[in-house]
Amino acid sequence: MSGPPDKPRLSRTHMLDLLKQMIRIRLFEDKCAELYTQEKIRGFLHLYDGEEAVAVGVIPLLTKDDRVVATYREHGHALVRGISMKSAMAEMYGKRDGCSRGRGGSMHLFDRATNFYGGNAIVGGGLPLAVGLALAGRMRAEKNITVCFFGEGAVAEGEFHESLNLAALWELPVLFVCENNLYAMGTALAISEAETDIHAKAACYRIASEVVDGMDVVAVEAAARRALQTIRETGKPYFLECRTYRFRAHSMFDAQLYRDKAEVEMWRKKGPIERLRAWLEANHMIHPDELAQINAEVGAEIAEAVAFAEAASWEPVEDLTRFVYAEAGR
Amino acid sequence: MAQTAAQEDVVEISYREAVREAIRDALKRDQRVFLMGEDVGRYGGCYAVSKGLLAEFGPDRIRDTPLSESGFTGAGVGAAMAGMRPIVELMTVNFSLLALDQILNSAATIRHMSGNQFGVPLVIRMATGAGRQLAAQHSHSLEGWYAHIPGIKVLAPATLEDARGMLWTALEDPDPVLIFENVMLYNMTGRLAANAESVDIARAAVRRPGQDISLITYGGSLWKTLEAASTLATENIDAEVIDLRSLRPLDDATIIASVNKTRRAVIVDEGWRSGSLAAEIGMRIVEQAFWELDAPVGRVCSEEVPIPYPRHLEQAAIPDVAKIAAAAKAALGRA
């Protein structure tokens, strides 16, 4: 097998599945925001609202052995990769039944079973890890690909440049996915980068790169297919810039003084869920009942996840200093 | 000519060669092990530690890197998480600061932050210490800083046995281990068992037993401290010298047992005094052996100055034999 073909599958079932996955992330996070105001979820909470097409367009194309490195805005990636909503929600609560035993929280979802190498909350910090994961794969003649998600803010970090150079120099199978939502917290791309065409930067490192409309899940999926196919054929890195937008605040502490409400509204109209739904409706590919059913199914899953997180247990304080080092015999 | 078994079993070796033998041995024993760092291959290592290894093991396993400390240290973290056993070489402790993000925020946190799902079995080696007139950006001793960080282990091999033996034990450890090699030790030569193997990395060692005072030190300062102990012996002061070997975790039991016996302690630490490892050890002695003490705990540390270039100032900035002996005598009321 040479991997998925370079063609989007525009079947109705597939399109409905993409829609459902995006809605699943959106509604999960809407609930998280609500739980945050109720102080069930604390700390930082960074929502993916508006960017769902990126994770949904890329991650389902991966094999089980491929690896994922994500950022602190990683709830969507975790859900699409297969971390259960229950364990993700319990992690948000800080409960022991969470996917990181509650020790990570929203920003640090990890899962060995699905090769999900975390929620990394140092901007740019995940890129060297991805290079190392891919290096290990290469040295052991494995066939897997490491996909590394990061925001456009990471592009200003030295680790971005070091990592792209290393991946290109050593010809490592890394798919770099830049989720360009135009703002690093409150700093617009245009006031932080001399060259705002991010995918052009990858070309400086001789990495094949392309830019895609990150609000169009079909386009993201098609580009990701091309990218993964190329990596599987060449073994070399590939760079995908997905132009997207964050509808909500950077985190729950953000008053959004740095952008106009009108700008946000304009982007909302271009939102990935809105867009796919409108397209499906225009092409008579979705019945209102089906949309209602998706919402109902996702709603039920969320209710279950919240009930699970509520009922889950806390790590006992006696165990505070566990897992700093490996424990003998465990 | 017939040789005795004893002659056959001992080799004359330098500290540099001992580290190289340790790396070579690890590369042979475990295919998952590889060495990665700036100039480790074609150049042979900034301090010539890895000289010859490229020819023997090839460029995949003796991997030259660009000057990207954070990038390749992070790559070491990732490779370790994925099952490899990387040895990352950082040229000096000063350059390691460019990789501090990956050491502290990734390597040291991932096991805990992931709820024990991922470990980072990574070894990072680096040169440390003053004495080669390399001035204020190549001469510092920041291992005490690193010893502050939960999630990593910190080693300071001061002897040939430890230079040869600590690496393999560190590679077998499931968590990240930092090894600090004092630059003044690389040329030190001595006799080492030809079949020298791995050593424990958890315990301090009593390098010189004594009754009157405990001199607690590590790394490059060990040899100055032993020399000071010899000087003190001529004045009928019987000093015990403890080589910490591991700076994190600290072997409290060995330290406290010694202090309980001698009732006096001086800590010798090439780090700066303020916020130093010496301060931590002194406090542990106060916490655990206060009522056993016959004198205040003393310290010989580096002066609070970036290490200067000219030899007389550089030497004045760091611990030396005379300062150590003087501090010991002060603790004994014989200044």
Side-chain angles (χ1 to χ4, degrees):
Chain A
M1 292 297 290
S2 58
D6 177 18
K7 284 203 183 77
R9 290 181 293 135
L10 291 173
S11 79
R12 200 178 87 88
T13 319
H14 181 58
M15 303 298 273
L16 288 177
D17 184 52
L18 293 177
L19 184 68
K20 181 176 180 181
Q21 296 209 53
M22 291 195 291
I23 290 174
R24 185 168 171 258
I25 297 171
R26 179 75 56 91
L27 296 184
F28 172 79
E29 290 200 318
D30 285 350
K31 176 55 81 173
C32 289
E34 186 189 321
L35 292 165
Y36 194 85
T37 62
Q38 295 170 17
E39 303 191 350
K40 298 283 190 181
I41 298 173
R42 310 302 301 266
F44 279 136
L45 179 69
H46 306 90
L47 302 178
Y48 199 46
D49 195 357
E51 307 182 34
E52 296 90 344
V54 181
V56 171
V58 175
I59 293 176
L61 302 178
L62 304 178
T63 70
K64 183 177 163 294
D65 293 334
D66 292 335
R67 299 182 172 117
V68 179
V69 177
T71 70
Y72 52 87
R73 197 183 301 287
E74 86 287 31
H75 313 143
H77 311 76
L79 292 180
V80 181
R81 184 57 178 164
I83 295 180
S84 78
M85 198 181 275
K86 285 179 179 176
S87 69
M89 187 62 89
E91 187 61 33
M92 308 285 223
Y93 271 65
K95 297 287 185 76
R96 183 167 56 180
D97 302 303
C99 57
S100 304
R101 288 186 76 107
R103 287 167 191 255
S106 158
M107 297 191 285
H108 304 300
L109 306 178
F110 283 83
D111 185 42
R112 177 173 272 289
T114 57
N115 283 320
F116 196 80
Y117 285 80
N120 198 306
I122 304 295
V123 173
L127 282 91
L129 296 188
V131 168
L133 293 167
L135 175 62
R138 166 59 47 82
M139 292 184 80
R140 307 172 100 178
E142 295 165 354
K143 297 293 181 200
N144 50 27
I145 289 174
T146 300
V147 182
C148 182
F149 294 90
F150 52 92
E152 90 292 340
V155 170
E157 295 282 0
E159 288 184 324
F160 169 86
H161 298 275
E162 294 185 6
S163 299
L164 259 62
N165 181 52
L166 286 171
L169 184 71
W170 292 343
E171 301 189 350
L172 301 176
V174 183
L175 173 57
F176 293 102
V177 181
C178 179
E179 304 179 306
N180 178 3
N181 66 18
L182 298 176
Y183 291 91
M185 267 182 71
T187 301
L189 180 60
I191 64 166
S192 61
E193 286 290 310
E195 171 56 86
T196 56
D197 183 358
I198 289 168
H199 94 289
K201 294 173 192 281
C204 301
Y205 296 102
R206 297 177 176 271
I207 294 178
S209 74
E210 64 179 293
V211 59
V212 64
D213 180 353
M215 298 308 230
D216 179 352
V217 68
V218 176
V220 172
E221 186 183 65
R225 269 183 207 284
R226 279 193 296 279
L228 292 165
Q229 178 74 13
T230 306
I231 297 171
R232 291 195 203 283
E233 282 167 12
T234 64
K236 295 180 185 175
Y238 201 100
F239 192 98
L240 201 56
E241 178 193 349
C242 301
R243 294 199 177 146
T244 181
Y245 197 81
R246 156 167 66 69
F247 296 158
R248 286 186 186 249
H250 164 75
S251 75
M252 303 303 279
F253 293 121
D254 168 13
Q256 301 192 71
L257 304 173
Y258 50 86
R259 62 183 187 183
D260 289 338
K261 286 201 168 71
E263 178 186 304
V264 180
E265 282 315 305
M266 185 270 287
W267 276 95
R268 270 194 188 279
K269 293 196 182 87
K270 298 200 276 186
I273 294 174
E274 190 71 12
R275 184 161 168 175
L276 181 59
R277 198 193 66 202
W279 186 87
L280 287 167
E281 283 168 358
N283 289 282
H284 309 291
M285 288 170 77
I286 189 168
H287 190 275
D289 290 351
E290 287 174 316
L291 193 59
Q293 194 189 335
I294 287 175
N295 282 318
E297 283 171 12
V298 170
E301 189 186 8
I302 291 168
E304 255 184 75
V306 172
F308 177 82
E310 287 282 346
S313 52
W314 298 103
E315 189 91 300
V317 172
E318 303 86 84
D319 287 350
L320 170 66
T321 57
R322 287 183 66 189
F323 318 127
V324 177
Y325 300 98
E327 297 174 354
R330 285 183 195 261
Chain B
M1 193 180 89
Q3 287 185 315
T4 67
Q7 279 171 322
E8 277 178 340
D9 288 345
V10 175
V11 292
E12 183 80 8
I13 193 170
S14 70
Y15 184 98
R16 169 184 293 107
E17 290 162 343
V19 177
R20 185 186 305 146
E21 279 311 304
I23 298 171
R24 174 183 283 132
D25 183 34
L27 287 160
K28 283 183 181 165
R29 285 167 83 158
D30 189 340
Q31 281 299 311
R32 300 173 302 174
V33 173
F34 66 102
L35 175 69
M36 169 164 66
E38 294 159 0
D39 279 319
V40 298
R42 290 151 188 88
Y43 190 97
C46 178
Y47 290 98
V49 166
S50 51
K51 196 174 168 189
L53 296 181
L54 175 64
E56 192 173 347
F57 296 99
D60 264 12
R61 300 185 71 201
I62 305 295
R63 186 171 285 266
D64 278 320
T65 67
L67 309 189
S68 304
E69 285 84 358
S70 198
F72 68 76
T73 302
V77 174
M81 287 171 83
M84 299 297 283
R85 291 293 181 274
I87 305 169
V88 166
E89 178 176 312
L90 292 162
M91 262 188 201
T92 79
V93 67
N94 288 84
F95 303 171
S96 79
L97 301 182
L98 294 162
L100 192 53
D101 169 47
Q102 289 298 334
I103 296 171
L104 203 166
N105 287 320
S106 297
T109 60
I110 280 171
R111 180 179 297 283
H112 187 82
M113 200 162 69
S114 72
N116 205 31
Q117 292 180 84
F118 295 104
V120 183
L122 167 70
V123 171
I124 301 175
R125 299 173 37 248
M126 67 187 94
T128 186
R132 287 177 175 260
Q133 291 192 251
L134 299 178
Q137 294 181 335
H138 289 73
S139 303
H140 290 136
S141 293
L142 303 179
E143 45 271 39
W145 269 14
Y146 282 103
H148 182 63
I149 303 170
I152 60 175
K153 296 180 180 176
V154 179
L155 307 180
T159 64
L160 296 173
E161 288 79 5
D162 283 349
R164 174 67 181 83
M166 279 183 166
L167 181 71
W168 179 253
T169 316
L171 283 165
E172 286 192 305
D173 197 283
D175 292 303
V177 180
L178 272 57
I179 302 179
F180 288 86
E181 297 160 9
N182 188 286
V183 290
M184 297 311 291
L185 298 179
Y186 282 127
N187 289 334
M188 177 179 79
T189 57
R191 289 156 69 79
L192 181 67
N195 62 354
E197 279 203 13
S198 55
V199 296
D200 85 274
I201 56 169
R203 305 297 306 276
V206 177
R207 298 296 184 196
R208 183 189 196 284
Q211 298 297 321
D212 297 336
I213 186 167
S214 301
L215 304 179
I216 301 159
T217 189
Y218 67 90
S221 297
L222 172 65
W223 303 98
K224 296 174 186 175
T225 305
L226 285 167
E227 195 182 331
S230 297
T231 305
L232 292 166
T234 64
E235 300 178 45
N236 286 327
I237 297 170
D238 185 18
E240 178 150 298
V241 176
I242 294 177
D243 173 7
L244 292 170
R245 300 180 68 246
S246 168
L247 310 186
R248 185 180 190 96
L250 281 169
D251 177 6
D252 286 10
T254 299
I255 296 168
I256 300 303
S258 176
V259 173
N260 283 345
K261 178 176 69 175
T262 64
R263 299 177 180 274
R264 290 177 171 82
V266 168
I267 305 143
V268 183
D269 178 4
E270 202 177 310
W272 290 300
R273 176 183 301 261
S274 300
S276 60
L277 187 70
E280 174 63 27
I281 294 164
M283 195 64 209
R284 289 190 190 204
I285 292 170
V286 168
E287 285 169 340
Q288 299 174 54
F290 180 79
W291 301 108
E292 306 300 322
L293 290 172
D294 284 345
V297 175
R299 279 193 283 172
V300 180
C301 298
S302 280
E303 300 299 325
E304 310 264 336
V305 61
I307 301 295
Y309 161 68
R311 181 165 175 80
H312 69 292
L313 292 182
E314 181 187 43
Q315 291 301 317
I318 62 178
D320 66 17
V321 173
K323 287 182 200 171
I324 298 165
K329 285 198 271 188
L332 284 152
R334 290 170 58 173

